[in-house]
Amino acid sequence: MPVLTIDVPALGNRCHLVHDGRVAIVVDAPRDLTAVEAAAEAAELEIVAVADTHIHNDYVSGALGLARRHGADYLLSADESVDFERVGVHDRDRLSYGSIDLEVLSTPGHTRHHQSFLARIGAEAPALLSGGSLLVDTVGRTDLVDHRLAGMLAGSQWESARRLGALSPSTVLLPTHGFGSFCSSASVDPDAADGVATIGAQLLRNPALLQDKETFVNDLLAGLGPIPSYYQHMDPLNRAGRGAVTPPPARPVTADEVSDAILGGAWVIDLRSRDDFAAGHVAGTVSVEYSHQFATYVGWLVPWGDDIVLLTDSADVLDPALRQLADIGIDRVDAHVVDADAPLTARYRRADWAAFRDAARIGSATGRPPVVIDVRQLDEWRAGHLAGALHIPIQDVEASVRRLPPGELWVHCRSGYRAGIAASLLHRAGRDVVHLDDAWDRVGDLRIETFSTAA
């Protein structure tokens, strides 16, 4: 079946355009519609319908805005309470757009009123737009609506997965989540996912289709990880139709206004590379290097509604950074482009694992081993961590500053990205830090403990 898939790496999601060569149905559109509309235009497709599989908890949906821009139907469960008009659809509804036959399947679990969409065109293998229900090798997590409903929704998720697993084995599986989104109940390799994205393949691999209900529910609930703090704000924004509102441009501010913002308690975030930040930055700022992960960590760490000022030495980075923030509902942001000759007097050290091994040998000889802060998530820590390290997940670093031991702190994660953020938070709090900017798989012969053997 003809499908155009749009990767949205900043959200860890995918948006899909199912089409017949003339008209297209867009499923789970992000707020930034640039790539979606460009793909439709390049393929000379008319967008005639836009669907959301559910009220999203991880980003602001662009579906309503896209539907209005193109005069298209906006399909959403009739059971959802929203503040705007839509085409309310029910289980087993059948809709036709061009030569596309679209069947609505009720698949609660990820949310209470989640739906999947089964698309057929003639004799082509059907395509299942499964949203946050059945994912590649896993399912969508069930604790985002309300943690008190997680167990009940986990049972519903198993039943929904079994319903989808009964479809034709040739059905192509096209989920929205599962490619880096925290909406997935387990991590999935995006590159490996494409080769097993059929119902037939999932019957051999997906725990929801292999385990009995009780085992599945227990395993799912036991494996749920942290929830980014901004997620709690996405549901009400989506019910209010926030995605149809064009976010304003960033307000340019001067260097003096940046200083005032720091003194006033605003979050001044430096988008430059983490090595540039370590070598020199404005005191009181926080490093969140611009990348696909940028908005996730800004949204997670900055209290909702706090003032944000972005700093960069390249204006070209501002637009994509602002689009990422708008995708999670952060619309009002100030920005300042740092002059090449601006005084950047605050700094701290960066090091690799080889340098740490040298420091550890010296510390062992003097009885003062270096203090290591591991800012990875609990599942990463349990899989293996440095003996004697302190585990403080990135989202808890700022709140933990006062209970950390005195002296120099060596901060690491899996790749160096999160450690760069954490090092800047600790440095802003007045701590002496070393950013261990090296990959965890290069840790070498240092003693590693796992959860089962750690004290």
Side-chain angles (χ1 to χ4, degrees):
M1 174 170 292
V3 178
L4 300 176
T5 294
I6 309 298
D7 281 304
V8 191
L11 301 173
N13 289 331
R14 291 179 177 177
C15 167
H16 305 285
L17 288 76
V18 178
H19 67 91
D20 64 359
R22 184 177 62 85
V23 302
I25 303 168
V26 180
V27 179
D28 289 343
R31 188 179 189 184
D32 180 9
L33 300 171
T34 307
V36 176
E37 293 184 315
E41 183 177 356
E44 299 182 344
L45 299 173
E46 178 187 1
I47 296 174
V48 294
V50 184
D52 266 332
T53 55
H54 58 293
I55 298 292
H56 298 284
N57 287 285
D58 59 330
Y59 67 93
V60 174
S61 170
L64 177 62
L66 183 65
R68 287 178 175 175
R69 285 164 64 142
H70 292 267
D73 290 346
Y74 175 33
L75 312 179
L76 181 69
S77 170
D79 294 322
E80 295 287 12
S81 175
V82 292
D83 297 339
F84 47 82
E85 292 186 2
R86 44 67 201 274
V87 178
V89 290
H90 303 82
D91 185 42
R92 295 298 186 185
D93 279 356
R94 302 287 285 265
L95 304 100
S96 294
Y97 296 97
S99 56
I100 305 171
D101 175 72
L102 194 69
E103 182 178 3
V104 182
L105 301 176
S106 178
T107 49
H110 184 50
T111 64
R112 285 172 287 189
H113 304 302
H114 189 286
Q115 295 174 330
S116 300
F117 296 90
L118 185 64
R120 302 181 179 90
I121 300 178
E124 299 273 0
L128 176 66
L129 292 308
S130 61
S133 184
L134 187 69
L135 310 183
V136 177
D137 294 354
T138 186
V139 295
R141 61 192 298 169
T142 63
D143 59 335
L144 299 181
V145 174
D146 186 329
H147 70 276
R148 295 169 297 184
L149 301 178
M152 181 272 288
L153 288 175
S156 298
Q157 190 72 298
W158 182 87
E159 294 167 359
S160 293
R162 291 301 174 110
R163 181 184 189 185
L164 298 179
L167 297 172
S168 168
S170 64
T171 302
V172 178
L173 178 63
L174 299 172
T176 301
H177 303 316
F179 309 100
S181 170
F182 281 87
C183 279
S184 174
S185 63
S187 60
V188 176
D189 178 358
D191 295 327
D194 295 323
V196 292
T198 65
I199 293 298
Q202 287 305 291
L203 288 170
L204 304 175
R205 302 168 58 98
N206 198 307
L209 303 176
L210 295 171
Q211 296 175 330
D212 64 81
K213 185 175 183 178
E214 181 179 3
T215 301
F216 169 80
V217 169
N218 290 337
D219 286 355
L220 178 66
L221 297 179
L224 294 174
I227 303 172
S229 59
Y230 67 89
Y231 273 33
Q232 64 184 300
H233 303 284
M234 299 300 100
D235 180 286
L237 289 179
N238 281 321
R239 292 186 189 279
R242 177 69 165 270
V245 178
T246 302
R251 183 178 75 94
V253 295
T254 65
D256 287 341
E257 288 176 301
V258 169
S259 298
D260 291 342
I262 293 171
L263 292 173
W267 281 72
V268 180
I269 297 171
D270 193 322
L271 309 182
R272 296 176 304 142
S273 67
R274 56 187 186 264
D275 52 333
D276 283 346
F277 184 90
H281 58 270
V282 177
T285 60
V286 175
S287 172
V288 186
E289 179 181 355
Y290 176 72
S291 73
H292 292 322
Q293 306 172 73
F294 167 74
T296 294
Y297 288 103
V298 173
W300 200 340
L301 300 176
V302 177
W304 191 257
D306 274 17
D307 292 335
I308 295 175
V309 181
L310 302 183
L311 295 185
T312 178
D313 57 2
S314 172
D316 293 340
V317 173
L318 278 178
D319 280 346
L322 291 168
R323 286 197 296 271
Q324 274 199 35
L325 292 177
D327 274 345
I328 61 169
I330 299 176
D331 286 355
R332 300 189 180 279
V333 178
D334 295 342
H336 176 69
V337 179
V338 179
D339 294 333
D341 58 351
L344 303 175
T345 57
R347 57 181 55 87
Y348 51 77
R349 273 202 301 149
R350 290 171 60 244
D352 58 14
W353 286 112
F356 175 79
R357 284 192 286 272
D358 291 340
R361 280 193 290 269
I362 295 171
S364 179
T366 61
R368 299 179 61 185
V371 178
V372 179
I373 309 296
D374 183 338
V375 300
R376 298 175 301 158
Q377 298 301 334
L378 182 59
D379 60 333
E380 299 171 284
W381 165 265
R382 285 176 167 172
H385 55 269
L386 200 64
L390 300 177
H391 179 228
I392 305 176
I394 178 65
Q395 67 271 17
D396 298 330
V397 166
E398 189 176 36
S400 304
V401 171
R402 292 186 177 181
R403 65 181 177 86
L404 295 176
E408 188 176 68
L409 305 173
W410 292 66
V411 189
H412 87 88
C413 61
R414 180 176 57 83
S415 68
Y417 185 84
R418 288 170 290 176
I421 300 171
S424 73
L425 289 169
L426 293 169
H427 189 63
R428 184 178 69 160
R431 297 306 305 265
D432 185 11
V433 297
V434 180
H435 175 198
L436 259 168
D437 194 3
D438 201 353
W440 173 245
D441 59 12
R442 288 167 46 87
V443 71
D445 58 358
L446 293 167
R447 187 161 69 89
I448 303 299
E449 296 178 340
T450 64
F451 181 74
S452 59
T453 59

